[in-house]
Amino acid sequence: MTVDGQPVAGLKAPLVSFVVVNWNYGHFLGETLDSIRHQNYPSLECVVVDNGSTDDSVTVFERHVGDDARFRLIRLSENLGQLGGAFVGFRAVTGAFIAVIDADDVLFPDFTAVHVQTHLALIDTVALTTSNVIETDTENRALSSSCWGKLQRATDGKQVLRDEATVARMPQLSAEFYRSTLMPRVARADRSIKGWLWSPGTSNVMRRSVAELFLEEEPVQMMPADAYFLKLCHAFGGTAFVDIPLSTRRIHGDNYFATMEIVSDIRVVARSFQDSLKNVDIPLKRINNVLQNAQNNYWLLGWRYWEALDTLTSRSYISKYRYYNSKAVVNAFCRHAKELRALGSSHAFIWAIRSRFNLSNSIRIVRAGFDGRLPAQFFIWLMPPISFPPQGLWRKIIRGIL
């Protein structure tokens, strides 16, 4: 690695870990593994978690990896789902940065170098980076270049990378590439920004120090790993977007999550996958994780702990308020009320609850936090919460009245 164009003795590139979760994708897996092996980045490892495949996936792994010591195979006797397999893979790797790779996608040779360079060069460090992706068909023929522009709008074109002379740089990327290509095409979104901001799962590289906060022990997790990890990492540390295609996303008939390339205003999620999610409240799953580790998470975030919970709902003001007051969410807060009360002062706990829940639910949660009683401080907050809607919403309300 270099600083201001000069090699620095002993300075090494960080280890990047790839976790490939595979289930009967033997006909695609070889190309995916080849793309990881051919990265122009010097320090990487890869764990392939095979979710009880019944095809030739193991043979494909052995044929394409050979004696490459950077690659390991973990064979599971049953299908734990993509997230369950990712949990297994996370515990088997040691890199400072982790990418969960779909077993049917392909990385471009400079995928790793560009993501790591972005992480190292940001003025304000983030929990994860996401890059643009080219969507392809079964034969890897291009269908579209998907670009998530919300992050670019969020940063208003501000420079988010440090000047070339002030950062540790990857020798695989020229100074000209850094100045003229990377710097103008990286945007940053603060962790308070909501909505889906990321390219599909393979396009993302997470900081291990943040992602490992959210590991769980539950074995079977039939949900996409990106839907779980990306929102959590973003809520804690924000996201940077690299508007450069660095990988492909394959669209084919066997894809469990999607049926077609991204097209504006058309739902591209596979219907079978959408139906399976009816029994899985993903926002609640993420919120439960943050509530279960309240003490440690509050120590990390301070008062922004509550802001992180709001980000995880992915809702606007009105729908967020409705979501908080759903039965499952209220029950979750009641279960963890004592831990939440211990995070700060009693006044702060009561205000945090009252500003998110209606009066009856606030009483339930506060009582759970105070061993069944309502403290005197609660009656100070009997007025409606003062978390006002955005200015634009006020205009609509006023116009409706008039």
Side-chain angles (χ1 to χ4, degrees):
M1 297 184 68
T2 64
V3 176
D4 197 13
Q6 302 299 317
V8 179
L11 184 61
K12 299 178 181 179
L15 178 64
V16 176
S17 298
F18 293 98
V19 176
V20 180
V21 182
N22 173 74
W23 181 66
N24 288 335
Y25 269 10
H27 48 307
F28 297 126
L29 180 61
E31 194 172 356
T32 301
L33 294 175
D34 288 345
S35 73
I36 297 175
R37 290 189 68 202
H38 296 150
Q39 290 293 292
N40 61 14
Y41 186 80
S43 183
L44 63 85
E45 64 174 347
C46 177
V47 167
V48 176
V49 180
D50 187 72
N51 258 334
S53 294
T54 56
D55 65 356
D56 64 343
S57 291
V58 174
T59 301
V60 171
F61 173 86
E62 294 171 348
R63 183 170 64 247
H64 284 263
V65 170
D67 59 356
D68 193 331
R70 300 173 301 171
F71 287 73
R72 287 175 289 158
L73 175 66
I74 298 177
R75 298 185 65 179
L76 304 179
S77 59
E78 61 177 319
N79 186 354
L80 301 184
Q82 189 186 45
L83 182 56
F87 285 158
V88 172
F90 264 67
R91 293 185 173 91
V93 297
T94 59
F97 297 95
I98 299 180
V100 179
I101 306 299
D102 294 334
D104 56 345
D105 292 343
V106 175
L107 308 182
F108 297 167
D110 57 354
F111 173 92
T112 313
V114 172
H115 273 274
V116 172
Q117 183 65 85
T118 302
H119 273 288
L120 297 182
L122 285 162
I123 296 173
D124 295 306
T125 304
V126 296
L128 71 141
T129 51
T130 185
S131 56
N132 201 354
V133 61
I134 294 177
E135 294 177 308
T136 69
D137 63 11
T138 304
E139 303 301 323
N140 225 22
R141 291 182 288 249
L143 296 174
S144 72
S145 293
S146 172
C147 179
W148 303 90
K150 187 169 183 177
L151 281 178
Q152 294 169 300
R153 294 194 296 273
T155 51
D156 298 324
K158 297 177 183 176
Q159 178 178 323
V160 298
L161 295 187
R162 300 179 185 276
D163 291 334
E164 173 196 349
T166 65
V167 299
R169 284 206 308 103
M170 300 291 107
Q172 297 83 10
L173 307 175
S174 69
E176 176 62 23
F177 174 87
Y178 183 84
R179 285 193 304 269
S180 63
T181 302
L182 191 60
M183 287 189 70
R185 296 189 183 182
V186 176
R188 184 185 183 280
D190 183 78
R191 55 190 173 186
S192 63
I193 295 177
K194 300 179 182 179
W196 186 263
L197 306 173
W198 309 277
S199 292
T202 294
S203 308
N204 303 282
V205 175
M206 300 173 282
R207 284 187 175 272
R208 181 191 183 91
S209 58
V210 179
E212 68 182 357
L213 297 173
F214 315 118
L215 296 183
E216 294 184 354
E217 297 296 335
E218 298 178 47
V220 180
Q221 298 289 339
M222 302 301 289
M223 61 183 289
D226 58 355
Y228 177 78
F229 277 111
L230 300 186
K231 289 271 188 180
L232 284 163
C233 286
H234 174 71
F236 275 58
T239 299
F241 179 73
V242 182
D243 189 10
I244 302 173
L246 296 175
S247 61
T248 67
R249 178 196 189 209
R250 205 186 304 255
I251 307 297
H252 54 87
D254 296 329
N255 193 308
Y256 180 60
F257 301 122
T259 57
M260 61 181 293
E261 67 274 17
I262 294 173
V263 179
S264 299
D265 301 323
I266 296 180
R267 183 175 292 175
V268 301
V269 177
R271 185 166 185 176
S272 59
F273 170 61
Q274 188 72 35
D275 291 342
S276 72
L277 291 183
K278 292 178 180 179
N279 297 322
V280 180
D281 188 335
I282 295 179
L284 178 60
K285 181 173 180 59
R286 294 188 294 249
I287 288 172
N288 264 321
N289 183 291
V290 175
L291 291 176
Q292 289 166 2
N293 300 283
Q295 289 285 346
N296 184 57
N297 291 334
Y298 188 82
W299 183 84
L300 291 170
L301 296 178
W303 63 270
R304 296 192 74 172
Y305 172 80
W306 297 99
E307 182 182 278
L309 285 169
D310 293 343
T311 300
L312 293 176
T313 67
S314 301
R315 265 67 172 185
S316 63
Y317 171 79
I318 290 180
S319 60
K320 178 187 77 175
Y321 190 70
R322 188 182 302 120
Y323 181 77
Y324 269 123
N325 284 279
S326 64
K327 183 178 179 180
V329 176
V330 172
N331 289 339
F333 272 79
C334 285
R335 286 195 301 272
H336 300 284
K338 289 185 179 179
E339 298 98 302
L340 294 173
R341 175 198 167 189
L343 297 181
S345 67
S346 296
H347 280 290
F349 166 64
I350 294 171
W351 172 242
I353 297 303
R354 188 68 191 97
S355 62
R356 290 165 176 82
F357 296 88
N358 62 34
L359 180 57
S360 61
N361 288 329
S362 294
I363 290 173
R364 279 191 61 197
I365 297 169
V366 171
R367 275 181 170 167
F370 284 87
D371 296 317
R373 63 183 180 85
L374 272 181
Q377 302 101 305
F378 180 82
F379 297 97
I380 299 174
W381 306 111
L382 281 180
M383 71 287 288
I386 318 177
S387 292
F388 295 112
Q391 187 176 5
L393 184 55
W394 274 120
R395 292 196 190 102
K396 292 181 182 179
I397 294 172
I398 292 171
R399 282 200 299 267
I401 295 174
L402 298 178

